[in-house]
Amino acid sequence: MIRSAFLTLYARQQATMTKKGLDDMISFHDITKQFADQSTAVENFNLTINKGEFFVLIGPSGCGKTTTLKMINRLIEPTSGRITIEDKNITEWNRQELRWNIGYVLQQIALFPTMTIAENIAVVPEMRKWKKAAVEERVDELLNMVGLDPDTYRNRRPSELSGGQQQRIGVIRALAGNPDIILMDEPFSALDPISREQLQKDIRQLQADIKKTIVFVTHDIDEAMAIGDRICLMKDGGIVQVGTREELVNEPADDFVKNFIGDRRDPWDTRVKEVMNPNSHLLASTQDISDYPLYPAPLYIFKDDRTYVGRQAEEGIVSNDPAIHPEDTLKHALKSFDNTELEALPVLTGSRIEGVLSYKDIVQFMKKSQLEQEGELV
Amino acid sequence: MATLQELWELFSTRQGEFWQVMWQHVHMSVVALLFAVLIAVPLGIILTRKQKLAEPIIGVAAVLQTIPSLALLGFMILLLNQIGTLPAVVALTAYALLPILRNTYTGIQGVDPSIQEAAVGMGMSSFRKLRKIELPMAMPIIMAGVRTSMVLIVGTATLAALISAGGLGDFIMTGIDRANNAYILLGALPAALLALFFDFILRMTEKRSQGKTLAPILAVLGLSVAIALAPLFSFAQQPQITIGGKITAEPEIIANMYKHLIEEETDLMVDVRTGMGSTDIAFNALQSDDVDVYLEFTGTALTTLLNQTPEPGTTEEEVYEQARTGLMEEYDLAYLEPMAFNNTYALAVRGETAEELGIETISDMETYRDQLTAGFTFEFADREDGYIGLQDIYGFSFENVETMDSGLRTRALTTEQVDFIDAFSTSADIIEYDLALMEDDENLFPPYQGAPLMKQETLEEYPELEEPLNRLGGMITDEEMQEMNYKVEYDDEDPYDVAEEYLQSVDLL
């Protein structure tokens, strides 16, 4: 069983690795950016963003996240290194055409005030010389997509819209030309909390529907956690850690990461090995077994070299109980209890017994972490 | 104060001329504004792209605007070596650059950087960004600059009359010269209304195009170009000979006599262009072929043009001969026969004062040098054959001397702010204000007889001009001239008619 699990895992990893080669969307190769005043914004930066990924760049201000973003659409040119999109150096494109294929959403929203909503949305399609009817259709489609009635809003001016509505237009303006990539530079930070939360939800939904590669800069870790497929935490022009939300939370690379993301560990994500009892009274060696009465149940028996033998039951030794791996999370471990009446299960690495995890252990651990969290709050 | 009725009457009688100067004013203003826009807007745009140049260039434009407008007009005459519409338009254009330039620059600079970034980030080219984003956003500010410039131009264009460019300033200058408020108003009021009207049009244009489209602005631009080019399509017969004249009534009357005589006796068409602010302007105009003939006085020719001083006591003939040979030798100019009247400087005392004090000559005035207040023109006060020479030759100076513009002196005289003025001996004021001319018993003032001055080459090209121009030689007495001046200045008769009337009375027509 363990072997098969391992094989599955291995196979999946292999698959992502081969897929990764095909799915590279944006790659930074040894990028360094020095500004005219000799300050270094980004140094020796290497990163690959996958196709269709919602990728978040985050870090404290001055970490180089916005510089990194703006190098993708060449608003900022790197001092050295190269950036590729689908393996093609971005300098090989005509600069304008490159940008038509990269949607751009700004923190300041920056709708063009002299244009109507429809004209704002139509900017890139018009530059791409779409037919007039196609442009109009696209405008209506996009307005509908973000829940703004085209007949009502098409001919309004940006100033007539609320901040949240304006940034919706800002987002669909970036989408209008059907770009493969969308860059968002702290797009929601100027909005009120309610609009922000709504837009975060919307953009997540939108991304799920349209499968664009989105590179999203934010300084708000909650926002990053809420929407990012992968998160790249930057500091002083370099990458501290790249990973999924879970990876960052559960395996922070260093204290900076830990501090930056704060304690958002879900106690249920704790590894079994930290909760289990290695010297439980529910454990006994084959030698000691005779000393034990048929008490307590269950009683897990191992040989002297801690090779698991089985559980002593009325009907004899039972060895097919569900086993828990020490690296499993509590959440995962809980599922194993679903399939059994037992109140404790053995924790095994291969055939070696590491300890026992009981309901009591879990409850005690939860109680403890609850108290710790409250303590922190005080 | 001129009543509205006076103004209306003047307008009715001068309608033809009014619409002509109105058109000149509109044309001059529109052309200047058009050039200013065509120069300053692109320049302002370039400056936003080349920031380092911005400060020095805007500085230069600012300096241009600090030059007093009249000085700028004068400077343009020297620079372009001609008078009339061209230097006026150039000066007005230079004058109007700054507001448009500065507003274009600051308007575009003022476009929110994040909006600029959005435009660039979305893949707009620099030109597209300018056309779609920056210009529409900066338009209200640019238009404000254009409107400021327009008001400046329409106002300053009234001064263009001084360099013979015409326009509503003609009426204003005539009004100041004749101390006639109705004339001043007939020039000033329409100029103000014109400014308001243009402002209204520009504001409507701006409102109409508010961020949506540049079409209304292009329409107005097109219309301006049409107005600017209109004179090219006029089919009026081009006059071959242009006769110039300085700003007062007298040269205008004489110039019109020349016109009558030339057109009567030859096949040439004559255009009369008077209103030139000074001797320098008229003389430059002659040298640059802006005018072919103008009336110059023998004394002026000798002193101002040739920098010679006539010996005190020289006869009229001697002065004319001296001027004629000098002009021929130095400038290759032909100076034809002078007329009889001698429009020299004279000191004119209020009639009753002269009688009271029993003074008849300038020497007599010495006794009252601390009681009589003088009202001199700037020019007279500063001339060797004026007040400076007077102090030399008569050996005394007046205690109280006020210097003022010539148009204001008669008013100062009637309100008894001054007791005597320098006057020209043929001036209509002598009749109007009942002035007594003091005899120049030491022969300080050289004779000032009017005679046609022209280039020798012009005379060679049109030899038929000599005869009609010489017809007036030895004609017209001081009194006749005073009377004709009076008719134009005080009875507001048309110089053209006055000239014709005289010529008919002496059987020259």
Side-chain angles (χ1 to χ4, degrees):
Chain A
M1 192 187 89
I2 289 154
R3 189 183 138 77
S4 75
F6 177 70
L7 280 179
T8 320
L9 189 71
Y10 179 75
R12 206 189 295 156
Q13 204 170 21
Q14 284 299 96
T16 39
M17 277 173 78
T18 35
K19 237 170 76 192
K20 209 173 155 191
L22 290 171
D23 275 5
D24 282 3
M25 193 66 193
I26 307 165
S27 295
F28 294 80
H29 307 272
D30 300 320
I31 288 292
T32 292
K33 174 64 190 177
Q34 241 177 8
F35 284 113
D37 61 0
Q38 297 303 313
S39 65
T40 305
V42 176
E43 205 164 10
N44 295 325
F45 190 89
N46 285 285
L47 177 70
T48 294
I49 297 167
N50 301 325
K51 196 167 198 164
E53 185 173 39
F54 202 126
F55 193 88
V56 177
L57 288 165
I58 191 170
S61 61
C63 70
K65 55 189 190 296
T66 295
T67 305
T68 305
L69 183 85
K70 287 183 180 176
M71 283 192 283
I72 299 172
N73 65 357
R74 297 184 68 191
L75 284 175
I76 295 175
E77 297 285 357
T79 314
S80 66
R82 67 199 167 87
I83 298 168
T84 55
I85 290 179
E86 291 182 323
D87 290 333
K88 186 172 161 185
N89 194 325
I90 56 170
T91 55
E92 287 171 37
W93 266 280
N94 169 299
R95 198 189 299 244
Q96 262 108 45
E97 280 170 26
L98 173 80
R99 288 171 180 160
W100 296 347
N101 205 20
I102 302 179
Y104 187 40
V105 185
L106 292 83
Q107 178 182 4
Q108 303 89 341
I109 305 175
L111 297 182
F112 303 129
T114 54
M115 295 182 181
T116 62
I117 296 307
E119 285 164 344
N120 263 286
I121 300 170
V123 165
V124 173
E126 269 172 12
M127 286 191 286
R128 290 189 132 175
K129 303 226 168 8
W130 288 16
K131 292 234 160 43
K132 207 169 173 237
V135 175
E136 280 168 16
E137 201 181 311
R138 180 71 173 154
V139 168
D140 289 1
E141 179 197 344
L142 288 165
L143 280 170
N144 280 322
M145 197 160 90
V146 291
L148 295 171
D149 176 35
D151 291 332
T152 314
Y153 288 98
R154 200 186 289 128
N155 294 319
R156 293 214 179 158
R157 303 264 158 190
S159 55
E160 295 170 62
L161 271 56
S162 72
Q165 288 173 327
Q166 285 186 21
Q167 194 55 301
R168 270 161 218 267
I169 304 299
V171 171
I172 60 175
R173 179 176 70 169
L175 289 172
N178 223 343
D180 297 326
I181 298 168
I182 297 162
L183 308 181
M184 298 191 171
D185 186 6
E186 305 200 26
F188 307 140
S189 65
L191 304 179
D192 61 275
I194 295 171
S195 304
R196 180 160 57 224
E197 211 166 299
Q198 185 60 44
L199 268 160
Q200 284 168 358
K201 229 179 268 171
D202 290 354
I203 194 76
R204 197 60 245 198
Q205 184 58 45
L206 204 67
Q207 209 264 347
D209 293 344
I210 59 179
K211 304 266 187 299
K212 303 284 182 193
T213 306
I214 297 180
V215 186
F216 190 106
V217 164
T218 182
H219 61 261
D220 176 354
I221 187 67
D222 292 320
E223 186 168 70
M225 293 290 179
I227 60 179
D229 287 334
R230 278 203 301 158
I231 297 163
C232 170
L233 179 57
M234 293 179 68
K235 185 184 146 194
D236 301 333
I239 297 174
V240 183
Q241 190 175 2
V242 184
T244 61
R245 165 202 150 86
E246 287 75 20
E247 284 166 345
L248 256 62
V249 170
N250 296 325
E251 295 152 36
D254 58 18
D255 283 350
F256 173 75
V257 180
K258 218 184 268 177
N259 289 334
F260 194 84
I261 59 181
D263 190 10
R264 10 188 109 240
R265 236 165 194 249
D266 186 339
W268 291 105
D269 283 337
T270 314
R271 309 281 166 197
V272 168
K273 63 181 178 193
E274 289 170 40
V275 183
M276 68 180 187
N277 188 345
N279 306 308
S280 171
H281 62 283
L282 300 176
L283 274 174
S285 74
T286 39
Q287 278 188 334
D288 300 338
I289 189 89
S290 50
D291 300 346
Y292 279 87
L294 260 169
Y295 168 86
L299 184 68
Y300 292 102
I301 301 159
F302 55 90
K303 293 185 189 156
D304 284 343
D305 58 353
R306 285 191 87 88
T307 311
Y308 179 56
V309 177
R311 169 170 55 91
Q312 188 182 40
E314 283 171 55
E315 61 269 33
I317 304 289
V318 182
S319 58
N320 62 347
D321 287 329
I324 303 169
H325 194 274
E327 296 293 330
D328 280 348
T329 61
L330 280 185
K331 205 188 282 172
H332 192 263
L334 221 49
K335 282 188 186 141
S336 304
F337 282 97
D338 287 349
N339 305 325
T340 175
E341 296 288 312
L342 296 169
E343 288 166 12
L345 285 174
V347 179
L348 304 178
T349 315
S351 59
R352 180 186 157 82
I353 190 148
E354 304 285 355
V356 171
L357 182 68
S358 69
Y359 272 125
K360 198 177 165 194
D361 295 331
I362 297 174
V363 170
Q364 272 175 349
F365 174 78
M366 284 297 158
K367 195 174 160 194
K368 199 178 98 202
S369 65
Q370 180 77 31
L371 285 173
E372 271 172 12
Q373 268 188 8
E374 278 169 13
E376 262 171 33
L377 285 175
V378 173
Chain B
M1 228 16 237
T3 62
L4 274 180
Q5 199 182 347
E6 270 178 82
L7 187 62
W8 178 248
E9 274 166 18
L10 185 64
F11 171 71
S12 309
T13 53
R14 286 272 177 273
Q15 237 189 52
E17 200 186 342
F18 175 82
W19 292 117
Q20 196 195 337
V21 297
M22 182 63 137
W23 165 250
Q24 286 170 344
H25 205 97
V26 169
H27 183 249
M28 188 159 43
S29 306
V30 168
V31 172
L33 189 62
L34 195 62
F35 276 119
V37 168
L38 291 182
I39 294 168
V41 172
L43 189 60
I45 293 168
I46 290 169
L47 293 190
T48 60
R49 265 65 177 164
K50 307 241 180 267
Q51 298 274 349
K52 273 185 194 154
L53 292 176
E55 217 159 291
I57 288 187
I58 291 177
V60 168
V63 167
L64 279 180
Q65 215 181 20
T66 60
I67 302 175
S69 36
L70 192 54
L72 193 61
L73 284 168
F75 182 64
M76 285 303 155
I77 299 170
L78 296 180
L79 199 70
L80 300 168
N81 197 25
Q82 58 176 304
I83 56 154
T85 314
L86 183 67
V89 166
V90 174
L92 291 176
T93 303
Y95 210 51
L97 285 178
L98 178 68
I100 304 177
L101 180 65
R102 198 177 39 200
N103 282 32
T104 304
Y105 178 74
T106 46
I108 292 179
Q109 283 295 96
V111 172
D112 187 342
S114 65
I115 286 184
Q116 301 252 19
E117 191 186 300
V120 174
M122 291 173 73
M124 285 196 187
S125 65
S126 182
F127 178 71
R128 193 180 179 89
K129 175 168 73 110
L130 177 71
R131 191 164 59 91
K132 290 274 185 181
I133 312 294
E134 291 168 310
L135 278 182
M137 284 184 73
M139 197 47 80
I141 298 169
I142 297 176
M143 286 303 278
V146 172
R147 281 161 52 196
T148 308
S149 285
M150 186 278 304
V151 173
L152 264 177
I153 286 179
V154 171
T156 312
T158 54
L159 292 176
L162 288 175
I163 58 169
S164 191
L168 291 163
D170 270 359
F171 283 139
I172 298 176
M173 296 310 157
T174 307
I176 292 174
D177 188 51
R178 300 184 195 170
N180 182 331
N181 283 329
Y183 261 109
I184 296 179
L185 281 181
L186 190 60
L189 217 54
L193 291 175
L194 196 62
L196 285 178
F197 175 70
F198 280 164
D199 194 54
F200 172 76
I201 291 196
L202 291 176
R203 214 158 4 148
M204 288 312 288
T205 313
E206 185 192 334
K207 227 177 229 165
R208 277 296 188 79
S209 66
Q210 198 87 78
K212 276 190 208 131
T213 157
L214 294 178
I217 287 171
L218 291 178
V220 168
L221 216 57
L223 188 66
S224 308
V225 172
I227 290 176
L229 295 180
L232 296 181
F233 299 98
S234 80
F235 296 100
Q237 198 179 348
Q238 288 301 309
Q240 293 124 314
I241 298 293
T242 306
I243 297 180
K246 287 179 232 171
I247 198 162
T248 50
E250 190 168 297
E252 207 173 345
I253 297 167
I254 304 296
N256 274 295
M257 286 190 192
Y258 293 151
K259 176 179 164 74
H260 281 297
L261 290 166
I262 292 169
E263 287 182 350
E264 172 93 355
E265 296 179 27
T266 71
D267 293 331
L268 296 170
M269 285 286 297
V270 176
D271 186 25
V272 173
R273 263 172 71 181
T274 51
M276 299 174 187
S278 73
T279 300
D280 284 342
I281 292 175
F283 189 65
N284 281 330
L286 183 69
Q287 290 204 306
S288 58
D289 290 321
D290 278 325
V291 301
D292 298 301
V293 184
Y294 84 93
L295 175 76
E296 189 53 280
F297 294 96
T298 53
T300 313
L302 203 58
T303 55
T304 310
L305 301 182
L306 295 169
N307 270 323
Q308 297 177 16
T309 356
E311 295 297 312
T314 35
T315 64
E316 292 177 347
E317 289 74 28
E318 284 165 346
V319 170
Y320 167 70
E321 253 335 292
Q322 200 181 338
R324 198 182 67 82
T325 38
L327 285 168
M328 179 57 87
E329 278 165 14
E330 199 162 326
Y331 300 106
D332 203 20
L333 296 175
Y335 201 24
L336 302 183
E337 286 178 34
M339 285 162 284
F341 67 88
N342 181 7
N343 185 6
T344 188
Y345 279 116
L347 296 189
V349 184
R350 253 181 292 127
E352 42 190 288
T353 312
E355 216 164 297
E356 227 170 83
L357 302 175
I359 48 175
E360 284 173 356
T361 66
I362 296 178
S363 300
D364 290 347
M365 295 175 84
E366 183 169 5
T367 327
Y368 306 102
R369 51 180 282 272
D370 51 353
Q371 291 171 30
L372 296 168
T373 302
F376 291 153
T377 56
F378 301 107
E379 193 176 2
F380 182 81
D382 197 38
R383 282 177 80 110
E384 279 299 331
D385 59 347
Y387 185 51
I388 294 174
L390 187 141
Q391 295 170 75
D392 272 356
I393 291 182
Y394 284 92
F396 71 92
S397 54
F398 294 100
E399 203 76 352
N400 305 307
V401 176
E402 308 269 353
T403 48
M404 56 189 82
D405 186 75
S406 63
L408 302 173
R409 287 174 313 149
T410 48
R411 211 171 299 180
L413 198 62
T414 49
T415 55
E416 303 198 8
Q417 282 172 287
V418 301
D419 301 301
F420 70 100
I421 59 173
D422 63 287
F424 295 112
S425 46
T426 56
S427 167
D429 294 345
I430 294 161
I431 300 176
E432 175 69 11
Y433 298 103
D434 184 27
L435 302 178
L437 295 182
M438 296 294 104
E439 194 194 318
D440 178 18
D441 49 341
E442 299 275 353
N443 284 324
L444 159 68
F445 302 125
Y448 285 83
Q449 284 179 295
L453 183 63
M454 63 198 296
K455 277 189 175 172
Q456 181 63 30
E457 57 187 82
T458 312
L459 194 59
E460 277 157 21
E461 194 182 344
Y462 302 104
E464 66 267 40
L465 283 175
E466 186 162 0
E467 223 169 291
L469 288 175
N470 273 339
R471 287 258 184 267
L472 290 172
M475 309 272 297
I476 313 178
T477 63
D478 284 4
E479 288 70 28
E480 282 171 332
M481 199 64 243
Q482 280 178 13
E483 216 156 287
M484 283 192 277
N485 285 338
Y486 187 85
K487 279 182 185 167
V488 171
E489 291 186 18
Y490 290 97
D491 294 341
D492 203 23
E493 288 186 32
D494 192 327
Y496 184 82
D497 300 333
V498 173
E500 189 175 21
E501 208 178 300
Y502 174 81
L503 292 174
Q504 281 165 347
S505 75
V506 294
D507 288 328
L508 284 175
L509 279 185

